[in-house]
Amino acid sequence: DVQLSNRVNSIKPSPTLAVTNRAAELRAEGNDIIGLGAGEPDFDTPEHIKAAATKAIQDGFTKYTAVDGTPALKKAIIAKFERENGFKYEANQILVSSGGKQSFFNLSLALLNPGDEVVIPAPYWVSYPDMVLVAEGKPVIITTTQEQRFKITPEQLDAAITDKTRLVVLNSPSNPSGVAYTLEELKALGEVLKQYPNVLVATDDMYEHILFTEQPFCNILNACPELYERTIVLNGVSKAYSMTGWRIGYAAGPAKLIGAMKKIQSQSTSNPNSIAQVAAQAALDGPQDCVEMMVSAFKQRHDFVVAALNEIEGVDCIEADGTFYAFPSFQTVIDARPDFEDDIALAEFLLQEAGVALVPGSAFGAPGNMRLSFATSLNVLESAISRIKAALEK
Ligand code: PLP
């Protein structure tokens, strides 16, 4: 029997990928399953982006690139930050990686010593705590309620920070809750962070563009520019441009930290895929109307899904500010049914009885809720929700 490392034994496989796989298994057995588990847009990658990649192949752009990304892509990223966010970066402050996931992985490995604490508000993206654990850090979870729209308060943040805290993670709009912090709320969190000069902040802006609010996108640096020297901005092309399979994410921050993350990457995967880098550059530099088209489809589905979920007895779903997730509470349903112990049992029931795959909220540190991805057509969503309703009312 092979003895595995404590490191790997401390983590679990991604629960969202597990749900997707389970749905695929049941489907392969001939069951009619609607998968609302996956966190990826259903649209094809826009044509001009694919064309840039095809050309890159034809041009023979098929070799190693600089570990931290091609100069051309880094230039496009720097221009994006300046144009869309008002942030200024030099090339040595940017690292391109194989997806946003690798960016956070590099960050954890470059920053944390054993026992260092990372403050993570729940509900959280499933990978943050496990990547912190791989780096032998300690996730410190702040729990939130639906009443507070799943957003942490300055008091909660202050209470979670100790002298071991190295990093605070913010993700707005949030996967899975779909909520975004306002500029005022971020200013209030920034006031707390200002009191702890040794604490770094990671702002994961992966859903920046998938936002329905009147107020434009903002992150902690817009709210509190004084934090520039200790904030790392994480972003990528996966969600905004429907490019999940291309695997391009990027990070911007203090040159020393970015350099350390680059060193980690240089001894693991090296450069991200050369062709995908050309595609990402075309996405950032090219026309943005493709993004608007996708966002308006997400908004329409969001409005349908939230209303339809709230018509199911015992289900309570808040309006999201962005993303393509709804995060309804099923707690009343769970409490009323002795046959479901928790949200995990409910997810299994809905998979078996309704043929609908959702991810239980406990995977995101918020038991009692369920994450439903509406990155699929309105027809499919209609049928999924009526099946859920029928199965629960049976
Ligand atoms: N950050 C958040 C909040 C996410 O939801 C995801 C993907 O699900 C990522 C980062 C990573 O995206 P990718 O590695 O596909 O670029």
Side-chain angles (χ1 to χ4, degrees), residues 39 98-102 125 128 171 173-175 204 206-207 235-239 244 247-249 325 371:
S98 299
K101 203 171 222 174
Q102 190 184 19
W125 178 40
Y128 301 135
N171 170 220
S174 150
N175 171 9
D204 182 345
M206 193 51 91
Y207 296 91
N235 208 325
V237 295
S238 298
K239 315 283 173 169
T244 46
R247 312 307 303 129
I248 297 290
Y325 308 111
R371 191 189 76 175

Side-chain angles (χ1 to χ4, degrees), residues 10 80 113 175 288 314 380:
S10 73
K80 177 262 180 248
N113 279 317
N175 171 9
Q288 302 296 306
V380 171

Side-chain angles (χ1 to χ4, degrees), residues 30 37 58 60 68 132 141 205 207 237 286 313 317 338-339 352 367 371:
Q58 297 306 337
D68 49 340
V132 167
I141 308 299
D205 301 349
Y207 296 91
V237 295
E313 203 183 321
C317 187
D339 49 335
Q352 298 285 345
R371 191 189 76 175

